[in-house]
Amino acid sequence: MNIIVVGLSHKTAGVEIREKVAFSPTQMEKPLHQVVDLPDITEAVIVSTCNRVEIYATTRDVAGGMARLKRFLAEYHNFPLETLEPHLYSYHGEDATRHVFRVASSLDSMVVGEPQILGQIKTSYGYAAEYRSSGIILNRFLHKAFSVAKRVRTETKIASSAVSVAFAAVELAKKIFGDLSDKTVLLIGAGEMCELAAKHFINVGVRGVMVTNRTYERAEKLAEEFDAKPIKFEDLFDQLHKADIILSSTGAPHFIIREKDMHEVLRRRKMKPMFFIDIAVPRDIDPKVNDVENIYLYTVDDLNGVVATNLEQRKIEAAKAEAIVEQEIGQFFKWLSSLEVTPTIVALRSHFDEIRKGELAKTLAGWKNLPPDAEKKLEALTNAYMNKLLHHPTSVLKKTEQGNRNDLYVDALRHLFDLETGAPQEGLMELED
Amino acid sequence: MNATLFYSTFVIYAVATILYLCFLVKPKDQLGSAARWSLYLGFLLHLGFTANRYLEAGHTPITNLHEALSFFSLSVVAVFILCERRYKVSILGSFVVPLALIILAVSAAFSSVIPPLNPALKSRWLVVHTVMAFLGYAAFAISFGTSIMYLIQSHFLKKRRLGSLFQKLPPLDILDEISYRCLTWGFPLLTFAIISGAIWAETAWGTYWSWDPKETWSLITWFIYAALLHGRLTTGWRGRKAAMLSIFGFVIMLFTFLGVNLFLPGLHSYK
C-alpha cells in the first residue's frame, strides 16, 4: 500500500489559485467520500488551509492514484486541469511521509515555525475520521505526523523563533504609518490568524481596536477579549473610515470590500492612508482596492516579503527539525512496509511452522520404539493441519481488491501473532489536544 | 580666498554626497554619521564663503546668479540639517544633498566677479526679500526631495516589492509629514518674500506690482503651493497626489528662480 499526496501550497501557487480550489470546512463530507470512491483509492484526508490544499490518500497504483486525485481536485472545483496542473506537486512513499511531517512541523509554512498549521491538520484529520474516509494507514500516518510535530516543537526552538505573518503585518504597518500609537485596528470576522495579528498590534500599542462580525454576539465576545469596540456588521461602512489598519478574515464566498466603496470612505478620512490585510481564502477584499489612492492591500502571501529578521537562528533550528523528520521517516516506513501482504503471509507461515517444528521435535524426542514411517506421517499430519488452518486467512489476505480492510487484517495479524513489526506498537491512538 | 572657500565647499559637498549615496546602499550608522559630519563641515565652509563675500562686496551676496545659486544651495543644506535633526531621517540626505551639490555646481558656471551694485538694489530690503525667498525655496526643495521618496516608497508598497531600498526609506507618513511641514514653512516665507518685494518695489520703482515676469511667475508658484496647502487642509490631498503637486510646484519654482532670470527679460534679470 502506498501513501500519496497531491496538492498545492503558497510555494507553488498564488492566493488567486489557492482560493479557487480551497474546500469549505463546513462541507467536508462530500469531497472526502468522493475521493475514497475513486477507483483504487482506499483512504483519504483533505487538508485545506489558506496556505495549502492537499489530499492525502492510499492506493496500490501510485501513478494512477495521483492522476485521479489531480483530476478530482480540478473537477470538484470546476477549474481547468491544464491551468491547475503546473501548480500541483505530488509525492509518494517516503517523500509523501517527509512532506506531511514537514508540513505538520511547520517547516513548510510560509512563516516557518508558525504554530497554527498543526491545529489545522488535526482539524482536517478530524473530518476524515468523522466521515470515515481515513483508515489504518492514514490514521497512523497522521498521528505519526502529530507526534513528529510535537517533538520538533519541544526539541527545537523553531516555534519560539518563529516570525509570524502577524509580526510581518505589524512591521509593514510601521512602514506605512511610522508611529502606530494613534492608529486604530479593525477586525472583520474572526479566525486564529486574524486574532493573532490583532494581538501583535495591541502588543506594539495601537490606540484602539474595533471588531465586527456577521453575528453581533461573536463580535461582542471577541471585543471583550481584546478590550475592543464591537460594531454591527451592517454599520461596517459607516465605521470603516475610522480604521487605519483593517484585518479581514471572514468565510464569505464573495468580496466584502470593493473598490467603489472606498472612495467615500477615504473622503471621510481626508485621504489618510489605509492598510488592509486580507487573511481570508477566498478573499474578502477585491484586489482592485489596492489601486485606490493611499490604500495598500496585502494578502498573507504578500506579507512574506517583510519577514527578514532572525533568519540565521531559524536556519539552524530548521536543520535540527529536518533531522528529526528524517529519523522518524525511517520508523514509520518500517511499520508501513510491515503491512505488505506477502511478507506477512511468509512471516505468519514461518511463525506457525516454527511452532509446529518445535512441538514435533519435542514429541518425537520422548517417543521410543517408533514405527519406521511414523515420523514421516506425523510430519505430513502437522503440515496438513497447519495448511488447513492457514488456508482461509491466507486466501482472504491475497484478495487485493478489498481495499483498506486488507491493511487492517495485516495489522491485526501482526498484533495477534506477535509477528515482527517495524515500529513499536502504540496501541489505540487518541487525537492529541 | 573666495575661490578657495568655494571650491573646498564644493569638494566637501561632493564627499558628503558620495557618503550619503553609500549610506543609501549600505545603511550603516558610521556611514550615516560620516556623511552628516562632512555635510556640517561643508556647510561651515559654505557659510564662510558667503560671509567673506559679504565683507568683500559690502552687501548681501545675492546680486548675481552665481551668488544666488550658491545661496540657494546654502539654504537647502541649512533646512536639510534642521529637518534631519528634527526627524532623524538621515536617508533624506541621499536625495537632498546631491541636489545642493548640483545647484552649487551650476553656480560655478556663472561669473563670480562681484559686479558694481545696481543702485536699485541698494536697500535694506535686499536682505529681507532675498533671504526669505531663498529659505522658502529651500523648504520647497526639501519637500520636493521627500515627495520623490514618497512616490518611490508608495510605488514599492503598491507593487509589494519590499526590497532593501524599501526597508531603508522612512515610513510613508513620516515622509508626508516632513513634506507638509516644509510647505507650511515655505509657503509663508514665499508669501512674505512677495509682500516685502512689493513694498520694496514701491519704494524703488514707485509701484507695488508691475507684472514683471519674476512677479508673475512668483505669483503662479504661490498659487500652486496655496492650492496644495488648501487642498490638503480641506479635502485631504495627501500622499501621492500631494507629492506629485509638490514636485510640480518645485519645477515651477525653479523656473521662477532660474528660467525667468535666464530667458525672460525684466526688472529682476540680474546676471
Side-chain angles (χ1 to χ4, degrees):
Chain A
M1 192 56 68
N2 278 289
I3 297 173
I4 56 172
V5 183
V6 166
L8 48 78
S9 73
H10 59 97
K11 287 189 176 158
T12 63
V15 65
E16 65 286 347
I17 302 273
R18 300 202 304 268
E19 66 187 13
K20 294 261 165 51
V21 294
F23 292 89
S24 161
T26 51
Q27 293 151 14
M28 289 306 282
E29 185 170 5
K30 195 174 132 204
L32 282 170
H33 283 162
Q34 283 185 12
V35 174
V36 284
D37 286 344
L38 292 171
D40 247 338
I41 301 284
T42 43
E43 300 179 27
V45 172
I46 297 176
V47 173
S48 182
T49 74
C50 52
N51 282 335
R52 65 181 67 245
V53 177
E54 293 181 335
I55 306 178
Y56 300 107
T58 54
T59 181
R60 296 215 164 270
D61 170 15
V62 170
M66 284 177 176
R68 280 179 206 108
L69 291 186
K70 286 178 181 174
R71 207 174 315 122
F72 165 79
L73 205 52
E75 282 169 6
Y76 188 85
H77 297 285
N78 291 321
F79 196 78
L81 183 59
E82 313 83 71
T83 323
L84 187 62
E85 183 116 39
H87 299 284
L88 292 174
Y89 47 76
S90 47
Y91 301 109
H92 68 94
E94 206 171 296
D95 293 332
T97 313
R98 180 175 297 109
H99 181 73
V100 77
F101 287 3
R102 295 187 75 249
V103 169
S105 311
S106 190
L107 289 168
D108 197 50
S109 293
M110 179 176 283
V111 177
V112 172
E114 57 91 9
Q116 296 150 49
I117 183 67
L118 183 57
Q120 288 165 334
I121 297 182
K122 280 181 179 172
T123 311
S124 308
Y125 170 68
Y127 291 124
E130 186 182 341
Y131 302 122
R132 305 201 169 275
S133 69
S134 72
I136 177 158
I137 294 183
L138 287 188
N139 287 351
R140 183 68 168 253
F141 180 62
L142 286 164
H143 279 114
K144 194 73 199 169
F146 301 154
S147 74
V148 171
K150 211 170 178 184
R151 252 194 88 184
V152 166
R153 206 163 46 183
T154 50
E155 292 178 26
T156 76
K157 293 197 194 82
I158 197 147
S160 62
S161 67
V163 187
S164 64
V165 168
F167 178 79
V170 173
E171 288 302 296
L172 201 54
K174 283 185 186 160
K175 273 310 222 188
I176 295 173
F177 301 112
D179 182 15
L180 298 183
S181 64
D182 59 347
K183 298 293 175 281
T184 300
V185 176
L186 168 66
L187 264 89
I188 306 176
E192 227 177 318
M193 188 63 231
C194 208
E195 288 165 33
L196 193 73
K199 277 179 198 153
H200 270 74
F201 276 109
I202 293 166
N203 218 12
V204 296
V206 288
R207 186 181 57 193
V209 180
M210 303 191 291
V211 181
T212 187
N213 201 302
R214 271 199 202 280
T215 40
Y216 187 65
E217 288 70 36
R218 289 194 68 183
E220 274 182 320
K221 214 174 138 228
L222 204 59
E224 213 166 287
E225 193 181 326
F226 288 133
D227 196 17
K229 188 179 155 214
I231 286 169
K232 291 209 174 78
F233 199 78
E234 307 84 74
D235 298 341
L236 175 63
F237 284 100
D238 280 333
Q239 303 287 330
L240 195 54
H241 69 280
K242 293 180 189 160
D244 304 287
I245 300 155
I246 295 96
L247 300 160
S248 189
S249 100
T250 74
H254 51 78
F255 295 137
I256 291 178
I257 294 170
R258 284 163 218 273
E259 186 195 359
K260 63 177 166 51
D261 307 318
M262 291 317 299
H263 300 289
E264 172 63 15
V265 171
L266 274 175
R267 198 188 58 73
R268 285 172 77 174
R269 56 185 274 115
K270 289 199 170 180
M271 297 298 286
K272 278 192 269 178
M274 295 176 97
F275 178 30
F276 284 87
I277 303 156
D278 191 349
I279 295 165
V281 173
R283 283 187 267 191
D284 281 345
I285 302 165
D286 188 343
K288 283 201 197 96
V289 167
N290 191 48
D291 300 337
V292 180
E293 189 106 22
N294 296 343
I295 291 187
Y296 302 94
L297 165 64
Y298 276 71
T299 62
V300 174
D301 272 11
D302 303 326
L303 290 174
N304 200 18
V306 189
V307 182
T309 46
N310 222 351
L311 207 61
E312 227 24 65
Q313 179 64 27
R314 277 192 296 150
K315 272 185 188 154
I316 295 167
E317 296 302 323
K320 274 194 219 165
E322 300 281 4
I324 294 175
V325 166
E326 289 305 318
Q327 199 184 337
E328 298 278 352
I329 290 173
Q331 279 196 24
F332 179 73
F333 262 81
K334 262 190 185 165
W335 175 79
L336 189 65
S337 60
S338 77
L339 292 189
E340 289 304 317
V341 172
T342 316
T344 305
I345 295 172
V346 172
L348 186 66
R349 285 196 70 89
S350 68
H351 177 69
F352 272 49
D353 208 38
E354 248 169 60
I355 296 171
R356 184 188 66 85
K357 277 183 181 150
E359 294 304 315
L360 193 62
K362 253 194 259 169
T363 310
L364 290 176
W367 200 340
K368 305 243 166 21
N369 306 322
L370 211 59
D373 57 346
E375 194 174 331
K376 239 185 191 168
K377 279 190 171 157
L378 278 174
E379 179 84 36
L381 166 75
T382 50
N383 243 332
Y385 178 64
M386 180 184 80
N387 283 340
K388 279 256 158 72
L389 275 178
L390 285 177
H391 173 71
H392 190 68
T394 310
S395 63
V396 169
L397 279 179
K398 279 182 176 164
K399 278 185 209 153
T400 51
E401 69 277 10
Q402 55 195 347
N404 72 13
R405 267 197 297 164
N406 214 345
D407 305 311
L408 199 66
Y409 295 155
V410 171
D411 198 52
L413 272 180
R414 295 261 176 192
H415 272 282
L416 291 174
F417 294 101
D418 195 23
L419 304 178
E420 200 170 291
T421 58
Q425 295 304 321
E426 285 168 24
L428 284 174
M429 287 163 288
E430 297 294 322
L431 254 180
E432 290 159 40
D433 298 6
Chain B
M1 180 67 178
N2 240 322
T4 318
L5 277 171
F6 183 83
Y7 286 110
S8 44
T9 303
F10 184 80
V11 169
I12 301 295
Y13 277 0
V15 170
T17 299
I18 292 166
L19 286 171
Y20 270 113
L21 291 178
C22 290
F23 181 63
L24 187 63
V25 181
K26 234 186 166 78
K28 281 201 172 144
D29 285 347
Q30 300 101 308
L31 210 52
S33 49
R36 194 158 46 240
W37 284 107
S38 52
L39 186 68
Y40 290 170
L41 177 63
F43 180 68
L44 285 178
L45 287 168
H46 204 167
L47 267 183
F49 164 76
T50 312
N52 186 48
R53 195 95 189 161
Y54 179 84
L55 294 175
E56 266 181 43
H59 58 80
T60 320
I62 319 187
T63 53
N64 64 11
L65 266 180
H66 172 69
E67 291 173 344
L69 280 163
S70 164
F71 193 79
F72 183 29
S73 172
L74 181 77
S75 315
V76 168
V77 173
V79 177
F80 165 70
I81 289 173
L82 287 176
C83 275
E84 194 191 33
R85 297 194 73 86
R86 166 78 177 76
Y87 293 99
K88 311 263 176 272
V89 277
S90 298
I91 211 97
L92 179 58
S94 313
F95 292 79
V96 172
V97 176
L99 184 69
L101 181 72
I102 291 168
I103 298 168
L104 198 66
V106 175
S107 90
F110 295 96
S111 163
S112 64
V113 177
I114 301 173
L117 188 63
N118 187 321
L121 296 180
K122 215 172 267 172
S123 162
R124 247 171 289 157
W125 286 107
L126 175 65
V127 189
V128 180
H129 176 62
T130 51
V131 169
M132 278 207 276
F134 278 108
L135 284 178
Y137 287 178
F140 293 143
I142 304 290
S143 173
F144 166 77
T146 53
S147 295
I148 287 184
M149 288 162 86
Y150 189 99
L151 291 185
I152 294 173
Q153 196 71 324
S154 141
H155 176 80
F156 282 148
L157 275 165
K158 282 274 187 201
K159 299 284 173 222
R160 296 157 191 141
R161 292 226 309 267
L162 312 176
S164 56
L165 183 57
F166 170 79
Q167 300 294 348
K168 285 164 199 160
L169 292 180
L172 279 184
D173 270 9
I174 302 282
L175 291 170
D176 198 51
E177 156 95 8
I178 299 174
S179 177
Y180 174 64
R181 284 283 154 231
C182 286
L183 292 181
T184 58
W185 281 99
F187 184 71
L189 284 167
L190 180 66
T191 310
F192 284 122
I194 291 174
I195 293 171
S196 65
I199 297 170
W200 185 15
E202 206 275 333
T203 56
W205 304 324
T207 164
Y208 286 107
W209 199 266
S210 45
W211 295 107
D212 130 279
K214 190 74 150 195
E215 291 172 356
T216 313
W217 280 94
S218 296
L219 201 63
I220 293 172
T221 311
W222 187 86
F223 271 117
I224 291 169
Y225 283 114
L228 176 51
L229 278 172
H230 177 263
R232 191 180 174 106
L233 291 172
T234 54
T235 48
W237 281 3
R238 272 174 171 274
R240 275 171 52 82
K241 210 183 254 177
M244 286 194 290
L245 203 57
S246 167
I247 291 169
F248 177 68
F250 183 70
V251 171
I252 297 299
M253 186 218 88
L254 272 187
F255 183 77
T256 306
F257 172 37
L258 287 177
V260 169
N261 281 42
L262 293 174
F263 310 122
L264 302 173
L267 296 165
H268 274 87
S269 322
Y270 311 107
K271 290 196 184 168

